[in-house]
Amino acid sequence: MEAEISRSGAEPPESRFQRGTNQSGMRDFNERLVLSLVRRSGSLAKTDIARMTGLSAQTVSVIMRELEEEGLLLRGQPIRGKIGQPSVPMSLNPDGAYFLGLKIGRRSAELVLIDFVGAVRAMLQFSYRYPTPRETVDFVTRGMEQIRSTLTGRQDKRISGMGIAMPFELWNWAETAGAPSSVMDEWRHRDIRAEIQAKCPFPVYLQNDASSACGAELVFGRGTIPRDFIYFYLGAFAGGGVVLNGSLHVGPSGNAGALGSMPVPGPEGRPTQLIDIASIAILEKALNARGIEASHLWTSPQDWGDVGPDLDEWIAAAGTALAYAIVAASSVLDFEAAVIDGWMPEAVRSRLVASVREALAKIDVEGLHLPEVREGTVGRHARALGAASLPLSDRFLIGTGAPMKSA
């Protein structure tokens, strides 16, 4: 089991969430509001929640009692020493619900099971040269059987859904991924969500992979989570997401925050797209051109070893491209932060963020307020964890975005 992903942030929860309502017919919203507050704060007493939400003490008592009976909240030890009744903190029950997440990438697939607090209970990985629908469905089928076999009957019944994070229009990346067009074109004619839904007794959701990674930072990120931030995830190809007013903004087509397509200065000053400079596939291509086998970039994201000068050149170029992308985005929206994460070792991520900051200092940004550039806190598995957060957000939280869901 990996360490718990979710952490309580320093920002006061009452500044991040909407007010509750004591009117009838709003039970579901109020329950989500309470669970969202408890998730962000770690644990809260009834009096705290009543103060933060504006709900009556009686309404809060009813909600928390029902959530406890449903197995979603755990009662802590009473805190004495104050006037009146002792305060009883309530926290999320890790076994209250489980969620599966599937990341379909251009070089690998991941299947993860997380519990109600975001701790990883199981994770499987499948590496390939390029993805095919048949192999992907087979991987998911075998993986779900393997993971679910480790659960008790009660735990299995508490799987609340599966999320799928994958690049939209995957067939358009055949040439860049080095895959046969005929194979990649199969994705055009397959409804992968429907195929996987047919094998699941719980709902299946779908979202763009980079948006899902952004959602993981929003739901599971450590420390203070900004209300408005732009997010970059560098995998085989660069992508990203946008969070506005504490919610993931995906737009009507689900493709908002397609930052990989953002124009940036390229070689000799000619414009190109961010994806053509900051993607890890560009680093792989440079290594292969010098006869260096680069599969470890995908199979060992925790440690790339001594990559050499090609890594230095890629970090410098990617840092400059990301800096221009941040400046361009800041001329449209006022972001508090620019968050950078990816399928890479933490040391490489730190160097990349430093490169971005250095490049920003050389760009004319008169008239703009630049966001704080910071490292992501979820890490290389952000896309898979973001996928798992889709059913969590849809069923139990407020204000985290609207994934596409199976009927």
Side-chain angles (χ1 to χ4, degrees):
M1 183 189 304
E2 295 190 12
E4 181 179 322
I5 300 296
S6 59
R7 297 287 188 274
S8 87
E11 183 177 351
E14 56 264 43
S15 70
R16 296 182 49 81
F17 293 99
Q18 304 175 46
R19 305 287 286 178
T21 174
N22 293 294
Q23 298 178 3
S24 61
M26 297 299 291
R27 172 183 168 184
D28 181 66
F29 175 83
N30 287 336
E31 287 183 349
R32 291 167 180 267
L33 180 58
V34 168
L35 290 172
S36 297
L37 281 168
V38 174
R39 170 173 293 279
R40 178 51 55 188
S41 299
S43 65
L44 289 171
K46 290 183 291 185
T47 53
D48 297 322
I49 292 177
R51 172 177 52 82
M52 294 174 179
T53 62
L55 293 169
S56 68
Q58 180 180 4
T59 297
V60 172
S61 294
V62 171
I63 291 173
M64 299 191 77
R65 182 172 63 250
E66 291 179 346
L67 291 175
E68 183 180 9
E69 291 173 353
E70 292 173 13
L72 299 176
L73 291 181
L74 290 176
R75 183 180 297 266
Q77 293 296 321
I79 300 175
R80 305 181 186 279
K82 298 181 180 180
I83 299 175
Q85 295 294 322
S87 175
V88 180
M90 304 289 284
S91 59
L92 297 182
N93 180 3
D95 294 313
Y98 298 89
F99 312 93
L100 286 161
L102 170 66
K103 179 217 74 176
I104 303 174
R106 299 168 181 87
R107 290 290 186 267
S108 66
E110 291 178 297
L111 183 64
V112 64
L113 176 75
I114 66 171
D115 61 24
F116 201 34
V117 299
V120 174
R121 296 296 185 97
M123 178 175 287
L124 303 174
Q125 184 175 332
F126 174 44
S127 297
Y128 40 65
R129 180 58 184 168
Y130 48 81
T132 67
R134 180 184 60 80
E135 289 183 332
T136 299
V137 173
D138 287 347
F139 167 67
V140 174
T141 302
R142 294 192 308 270
M144 282 198 301
E145 181 179 354
Q146 178 180 336
I147 289 174
R148 295 177 69 185
S149 68
T150 65
L151 304 176
T152 65
R154 181 181 180 278
Q155 289 174 325
D156 188 68
K157 290 179 181 178
R158 285 184 171 262
I159 297 179
S160 295
M162 170 188 279
I164 302 173
M166 64 178 292
F168 288 168
E169 298 186 358
L170 190 57
W171 53 87
N172 286 331
W173 302 99
E175 181 178 353
T176 310
S181 298
S182 59
V183 174
M184 295 299 286
D185 202 51
E186 293 179 24
W187 289 98
R188 186 193 304 271
H189 309 292
R190 302 281 287 269
D191 187 341
I192 199 72
R193 180 180 60 182
E195 291 185 38
I196 293 176
Q197 178 65 82
K199 300 176 180 295
C200 298
F202 36 75
V204 176
Y205 303 71
L206 177 68
Q207 194 171 71
N208 176 271
D209 59 336
S211 294
S212 291
C214 183
E217 186 70 29
L218 178 63
V219 175
F220 301 128
R222 298 189 301 273
T224 302
I225 307 300
R227 291 185 63 82
D228 304 287
F229 65 91
I230 187 169
Y231 176 91
F232 298 89
Y233 186 92
L234 307 188
F237 301 118
V242 172
V243 170
L244 299 175
N245 197 30
S247 295
L248 181 64
H249 181 70
V250 296
S253 68
N255 207 38
L259 304 178
S261 300
M262 183 171 285
V264 297
E268 299 180 4
R270 295 191 302 270
T272 187
Q273 291 190 339
L274 179 67
I275 196 172
D276 295 323
I277 297 179
S279 300
I280 297 176
I282 303 302
L283 173 60
E284 178 190 37
K285 184 178 180 180
L287 292 172
N288 289 339
R290 294 204 300 116
I292 300 175
E293 208 281 323
S295 62
H296 64 287
L297 297 179
W298 318 114
T299 58
S300 301
Q302 71 281 3
D303 184 9
W304 283 352
D306 184 12
V307 179
D310 291 293
L311 177 61
D312 300 334
E313 294 175 8
W314 177 78
I315 288 176
T320 299
L322 286 166
Y324 274 98
I326 291 170
V327 170
S330 299
S331 69
V332 179
L333 292 171
D334 190 12
F335 294 106
E336 297 175 52
V339 180
I340 299 172
D341 214 334
W343 186 262
M344 64 185 71
E346 292 182 7
V348 173
R349 185 181 65 193
S350 296
R351 290 182 58 193
L352 179 62
V353 169
S355 176
V356 173
R357 292 169 179 162
E358 182 179 347
L360 280 172
K362 301 176 182 178
I363 301 175
D364 182 2
V365 295
E366 185 177 357
L368 297 179
H369 173 74
L370 291 184
E372 173 196 1
V373 181
R374 59 169 73 174
E375 294 183 49
T377 62
V378 177
R380 58 186 179 275
H381 299 302
R383 291 170 294 179
L385 293 170
S389 77
L390 298 179
L392 166 62
S393 298
D394 184 61
R395 172 62 184 86
F396 297 105
L397 304 180
I398 61 170
T400 51
M404 290 186 288
K405 177 183 176 183
S406 58

